[in-house]
Amino acid sequence: NTSVTGPFSTAIEAYWASKALARVATKEFVNHARPKFDFVNLLPSVVIGPDDRLDADPTATADSLLQGTRAAVLAPALTSSLNSSFPYVGTPVHVADVARAHVDAVDDGLVPGNSEYILSSDTPNGVVWDRDVQDVCRKFFSKEVANKMLPLGGSLTAIKWRLSAQQTEETFRWRFTGFEETARQLLSQYLQLKDRSLK
């Protein structure tokens, strides 16, 4: 989006605009300044996954995990109190894959400079948050669904958005972690933290 102007009615609209404007500004800078370095623009979709910092924090609780995007994505597994006030595009990417891409992008023998890459799993069709989160719960955590530790009571509306990450996977020479595994890891960490707080 190259014509993003305010004022913005919500903080999230301003956040989305900032991403688009940063992308435009980067291209303008390179075209005008002609720097002696290359840039690689990484375009992550909805970044989710476990927070490894919480594993080493003895004071961390399940609520520590339920912040921002993670809370909204886990709403379909948990409760409507976590529902987002706006829909999310159904385009997830594992946080570890985003980190790995940032490290690999520095290798100019692997990743060409002055380029940009979409970081997203489950392309081209994406996910439907409600259905797919609850499917992961039923597949991997049936006991927790049965005992209502995962009550499946919330919702996150998905905006369908087709993406292709084929160029990214070919260039970086690895495949993105699928949503099922990403959600399994996130839910597993939630349950571990919940169990810790019950002891």
Side-chain angles (χ1 to χ4, degrees):
N1 187 349
T2 57
S3 59
V4 179
T5 57
F8 305 104
S9 59
T10 65
I12 197 67
E13 286 180 9
Y15 173 76
W16 290 332
S18 75
K19 298 293 187 180
L21 292 169
R23 183 174 176 227
V24 170
T26 301
K27 289 180 178 183
E28 287 177 352
F29 169 77
V30 169
N31 288 336
H32 290 56
R34 305 258 185 234
K36 295 182 179 180
F37 57 84
D38 293 334
F39 81 98
V40 175
N41 206 352
L42 300 176
L43 309 171
S45 52
V46 180
V47 182
I48 57 173
D51 186 340
D52 293 344
R53 298 170 301 173
L54 300 180
D55 294 336
D57 180 356
T59 66
T61 65
D63 287 340
S64 305
L65 185 69
L66 297 177
Q67 304 295 322
T69 302
R70 287 189 306 263
V73 169
L74 287 179
L78 300 175
T79 171
S80 60
S81 67
L82 299 174
N83 288 358
S84 172
S85 59
F86 53 87
Y88 278 38
V89 290
T91 55
V93 63
H94 195 298
V95 64
D97 289 345
V98 175
R100 181 179 180 184
H102 278 79
V103 172
D104 288 354
V106 177
D107 183 350
D108 63 359
L110 179 67
V111 180
N114 300 323
S115 54
E116 56 186 19
Y117 297 93
I118 293 171
L119 307 180
S120 193
S121 69
D122 299 83
T123 61
N125 295 320
V127 300
V128 176
W129 298 112
D130 286 353
R131 179 196 68 206
D132 295 338
V133 169
Q134 291 180 359
D135 284 351
V136 170
C137 290
R138 291 183 186 102
K139 180 174 180 178
F140 296 102
F141 306 103
S142 58
K143 183 179 93 174
E144 289 81 0
V145 171
N147 69 18
K148 301 296 185 190
M149 182 81 78
L150 297 174
L152 311 184
S155 181
L156 176 58
T157 303
I159 298 172
K160 294 295 282 179
W161 198 15
R162 290 176 61 86
L163 290 176
S164 174
Q166 181 177 349
Q167 179 188 3
T168 305
E169 291 183 336
E170 289 173 357
T171 300
F172 284 75
R173 300 182 192 151
W174 48 262
R175 295 189 59 77
F176 287 102
T177 305
F179 175 72
E180 182 179 85
E181 176 59 17
T182 302
R184 187 197 67 75
Q185 291 178 18
L186 181 55
L187 284 158
S188 180
Q189 185 175 41
Y190 168 80
L191 291 168
Q192 288 169 5
L193 290 169
K194 191 76 170 171
D195 185 58
R196 182 196 297 179
S197 66
L198 296 174
K199 291 181 177 177

